[in-house]
Amino acid sequence: MRFRAKRHQYVAFVLLALAGAVYFARPPAVDIRPWKPLEVPIELKVGKVPTPEFTAGLDTKYLLLVESERRIEFTRLQCLLGTVDRQRVQTCANIAEAIDIDWAVLHNGQLAAAGSSKESSGGEYGDPMAREIGHFSAKRGERYSVVLYIHRNGGELSTTNPKLVVET
């Protein structure tokens, strides 16, 4: 006995195929949430570095990160960024940490938060790698800017295209 599709089965198949075509032909959804309201290249040279203003997209805590491309050996990059904790004495004995940055966040020209990279040691270990230098709270729709006070030249870390990133 041979199977013969009935008319309603043809209609169901055509509708299913049409739905699949519409689903796969649609443009990708755009993520409009501002996870990184600021991402700017920085020169790791001693001095004051002001950033452009940015608008906070969420009422939340934002992280301040120095982000570096993985252009040098992983452990060496960790040492330069200062993301090695417990074994720093052994692992980084001959490699000085390149991150020594005080920072201030301004809101309407007034100091909203301040801190130092010495108070933070976390980071992100993807590509690029990042060193957290601080965090601050911000309100959605408000404008902020960051001022970095760099106390140590970045040396070899400068070859990794460092950026200041503000992210949630």
Side-chain angles (χ1 to χ4, degrees), residues 39-44 65-72 77 81 128-129 155-165:
E39 188 171 357
V40 293
I42 56 172
E43 260 190 275
L44 292 174
L65 302 164
V66 173
E67 193 176 83
S68 293
E69 294 174 3
R70 288 177 66 175
R71 293 181 163 203
I72 54 181
L77 183 55
L81 286 172
M129 285 181 63
E156 187 178 0
L157 196 57
S158 296
T159 66
T160 65
N161 296 328
K163 294 179 186 173
L164 174 68
V165 176

Side-chain angles (χ1 to χ4, degrees), residues 56 58-62 103 105 107 112-113 135-139 144:
L58 303 166
D59 290 335
T60 190
K61 179 175 96 172
Y62 285 85
W103 55 269
V105 174
H107 176 250
H135 61 272
F136 66 98
S137 293
K139 297 218 180 280
Y144 298 87

Side-chain angles (χ1 to χ4, degrees), residues 6-7 13 35 48 54 56-57 77 80-81 83-84 95 109-110 118-120 125 128-129 131 135 151 154 156 164:
K6 295 185 173 121
R7 184 171 191 196
F13 176 75
W35 300 115
K48 179 180 173 181
F54 63 93
L77 183 55
L80 291 168
L81 286 172
T83 55
V84 178
I95 305 169
Q110 301 296 312
K118 294 174 185 171
E119 300 164 0
S120 298
Y125 290 92
M129 285 181 63
R131 158 74 190 275
H135 61 272
H151 301 294
E156 187 178 0
L164 174 68

Side-chain angles (χ1 to χ4, degrees), residues 5-21:
K6 295 185 173 121
R7 184 171 191 196
H8 72 276
Q9 290 172 322
Y10 281 120
V11 170
F13 176 75
V14 168
L15 288 175
L16 186 61
L18 184 60

Side-chain angles (χ1 to χ4, degrees), residues 41-104:
I42 56 172
E43 260 190 275
L44 292 174
K45 292 186 176 179
V46 173
K48 179 180 173 181
V49 180
T51 70
E53 280 194 337
F54 63 93
T55 302
L58 303 166
D59 290 335
T60 190
K61 179 175 96 172
Y62 285 85
L63 299 177
L64 292 169
L65 302 164
V66 173
E67 193 176 83
S68 293
E69 294 174 3
R70 288 177 66 175
R71 293 181 163 203
I72 54 181
E73 191 269 323
F74 180 76
T75 304
R76 184 166 188 76
L77 183 55
Q78 278 184 298
C79 295
L80 291 168
L81 286 172
T83 55
V84 178
D85 294 348
R86 298 177 185 163
Q87 298 129 357
R88 179 157 181 76
V89 174
Q90 295 135 354
T91 308
C92 303
N94 299 324
I95 305 169
E97 184 178 327
I99 302 293
D100 184 4
I101 301 172
D102 291 335
W103 55 269

Side-chain angles (χ1 to χ4, degrees), residues 22-35:
V22 168
Y23 177 78
F24 288 108
R26 79 191 191 307
V30 177
D31 187 357
I32 60 170
R33 294 170 288 194
W35 300 115

